[in-house]
């Protein structure tokens, strides 16, 4: 077995071990289930409202959008936070000291974050089926659409998460990323169609992957005739594929460069300095 294959297998095992461990940690379980519970409660109270111009439940329309939002949060923010924390406690430095250790580390994190994102999707979707009507999970076309939207969404967001996690050293600075994402949520039609927004705001929303993740998930799970309330009056599958593919390509080009640069700069003195700053924050 060559060193690269060994690192890939070690990374896969690492990811599965961390996945099993995370479901025995109360704090991690709270982080997974509490936001899901909040979203489901919100959709429960929205189920009586309708999408403007239709008699379709706004809650049922929101669920697929929230699933797309969950992919962004899991892939981008999840991986970024993991990298920041592991840089601060020296995990990345230890991985760097092992032959192909960084490759194995990154594969393990990709496995972990992808699995958590998919599990999060399931634990949002399944309860929603019991009180929201109109979702078309019985249609084979829905599963075919999910089969390309979900993996492409992860590929479009995970490398970006690696880039952000490599550039940010202080966990407190994650707010610089989280706050703009909350702004994008308001612009991207997650909780309400954006047709009423000014054209330039609609254009801003369509630059970023969040809008297209929400649209792709809606195209998979909602009735075909509900496309009339979307921009352009259609699900725009080709545009979804193109924009998410472009973000995936950008991330895949940037991530290796930024990760290598970050790995070269890691040293014992930098880890010690971060640990000292962390202790000062705790104190």
């Amino acid at each position: 077995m060559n060193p690269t294959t060994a690192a890939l297998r070690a990374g896969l095992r690492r990811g599965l071990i961390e996945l099993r461990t995370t479901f025995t940690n109360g704090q991690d379980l709270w982080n997974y289930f509490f936001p899901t519970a909040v979203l489901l409660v919100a959709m429960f109270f929205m189920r009586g409202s309708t999408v403007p111009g239709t008699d379709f439940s706004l809650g049922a329309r929101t669920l697929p959008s929230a699933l797309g939002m969950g992919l962004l949060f899991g892939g981008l923010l999840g991986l970024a936070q993991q990298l920041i924390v592991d840089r601060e406690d020296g995990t990345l430095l230890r991985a760097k000291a092992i032959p192909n250790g960084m490759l194995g580390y990154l594969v393990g994190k990709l496995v972990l974050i992808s699995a958590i994102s998919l599990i999060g999707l399931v634990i949002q979707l399944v309860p929603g089926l019991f009180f929201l009507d109109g979702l078309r999970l019985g249609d084979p076309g829905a599963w075919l659409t999910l089969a390309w939207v979900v993996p492409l969404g992860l590929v479009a967001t995970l490398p970006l998460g690696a880039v952000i996690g490599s550039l940010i050293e202080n966990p407190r600075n994650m707010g610089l990323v989280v706050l703009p994402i909350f702004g994008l949520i308001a612009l991207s039609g997650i909780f309400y169609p954006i047709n009423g927004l000014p054209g330039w705001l609609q254009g801003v929303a369509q630059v970023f992957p969040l809008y297209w993740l929400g649209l792709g998930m809606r195209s998979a799970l909602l009735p075909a005739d509900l496309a009339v309330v979307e921009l352009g009056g259609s699900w725009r599958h080709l545009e979804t594929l193109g924009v998410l593919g472009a973000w995936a390509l950008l991330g895949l080009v940037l991530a290796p460069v930024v990760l290598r640069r970050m790995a070269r700069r890691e040293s014992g003195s930098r880890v010690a300095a971060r640990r000292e700053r962390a202790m000062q924050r705790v104190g």
Side-chain angles (χ1 to χ4, degrees), residues 233-279:
S234 74
W235 294 124
R236 298 195 289 171
H237 283 148
L238 287 178
E239 290 91 338
T240 301
L241 182 65
V243 175
L244 291 181
W247 277 101
L249 181 61
L250 177 65
L252 291 171
V253 170
L254 288 179
V257 176
V258 177
L259 283 167
R260 282 196 297 268
R261 176 177 174 272
M262 179 267 292
R264 285 197 301 267
R265 296 176 62 192
E266 282 301 292
S267 65
S269 60
R270 294 176 71 91
V271 172
R274 291 192 205 105
R275 188 171 298 163
E276 184 176 349
R277 289 196 297 269
M279 293 299 294

Side-chain angles (χ1 to χ4, degrees), residues 182-203:
F182 280 130
L184 276 178
I185 291 172
L187 297 179
S188 298
I190 298 301
F191 295 101
Y192 206 79
I194 65 172
N195 305 60
L197 294 178
W200 70 273
L201 285 178
Q202 295 177 12

Side-chain angles (χ1 to χ4, degrees), residues 101-136:
M102 285 298 296
L103 176 60
Y105 168 85
L106 187 58
V107 169
K109 292 303 177 184
L110 292 175
V111 170
L112 172 65
I113 300 300
S114 298
I116 289 174
S117 298
L118 294 175
I119 292 169
L121 187 151
V122 172
I123 63 177
Q124 287 183 56
L125 178 60
V126 172
L129 296 175
F130 289 98
F131 61 86
L132 297 173
D133 297 324
L135 301 175
R136 61 185 194 110

Side-chain angles (χ1 to χ4, degrees), residues 25-245:
N25 184 300
Q27 182 63 49
D28 288 342
L29 291 174
W30 173 262
N31 292 337
Y32 302 151
F33 287 99
F34 178 71
T36 297
V38 171
L39 283 171
L40 290 173
V41 169
M43 284 180 272
F44 178 82
F45 286 106
M46 293 169 66
R47 75 191 191 286
S49 303
T50 58
V51 178
T54 75
D55 58 359
F56 193 81
S57 167
L58 183 60
R61 187 259 179 203
T62 301
L63 178 58
S65 304
L67 297 178
M69 180 179 69
L71 290 176
L72 180 85
F73 270 80
L76 193 152
L77 295 182
L79 185 54
Q81 289 173 337
Q82 290 275 332
L83 282 171
I84 293 169
V85 171
D86 287 348
R87 288 174 75 186
E88 190 168 57
D89 68 11
T91 299
L92 277 177
L93 184 62
R94 292 190 293 272
K96 177 185 174 183
I98 303 171
N100 286 315
M102 285 298 296
L103 176 60
Y105 168 85
L106 187 58
V107 169
K109 292 303 177 184
L110 292 175
V111 170
L112 172 65
I113 300 300
S114 298
I116 289 174
S117 298
L118 294 175
I119 292 169
L121 187 151
V122 172
I123 63 177
Q124 287 183 56
L125 178 60
V126 172
L129 296 175
F130 289 98
F131 61 86
L132 297 173
D133 297 324
L135 301 175
R136 61 185 194 110
L137 276 178
D139 186 344
W143 292 101
L144 289 174
T145 305
L146 288 174
W148 67 266
V149 171
V150 173
L152 183 58
L154 288 173
V155 176
T157 55
L158 284 168
L160 295 176
V163 171
I164 292 171
S166 299
L167 295 176
I168 296 177
E169 292 193 16
N170 190 332
R172 292 186 173 185
N173 292 338
M174 274 299 294
L176 300 175
V177 179
V178 174
L179 289 177
I181 288 178
F182 280 130
L184 276 178
I185 291 172
L187 297 179
S188 298
I190 298 301
F191 295 101
Y192 206 79
I194 65 172
N195 305 60
L197 294 178
W200 70 273
L201 285 178
Q202 295 177 12
V204 170
Q206 292 175 80
V207 170
F208 297 96
L210 179 57
Y211 170 80
W212 299 99
L213 282 169
L215 181 64
M217 296 301 289
R218 292 194 296 274
S219 73
L221 298 176
L222 299 182
D225 55 3
L226 208 63
V228 296
V229 304
E230 301 290 345
L231 297 178
S234 74
W235 294 124
R236 298 195 289 171
H237 283 148
L238 287 178
E239 290 91 338
T240 301
L241 182 65
V243 175
L244 291 181

Side-chain angles (χ1 to χ4, degrees), residues 16-31:
L16 295 175
I17 290 170
E18 290 189 0
L19 179 64
R20 184 172 65 247
T21 302
T22 195
F23 284 101
T24 64
N25 184 300
Q27 182 63 49
D28 288 342
L29 291 174
W30 173 262
N31 292 337

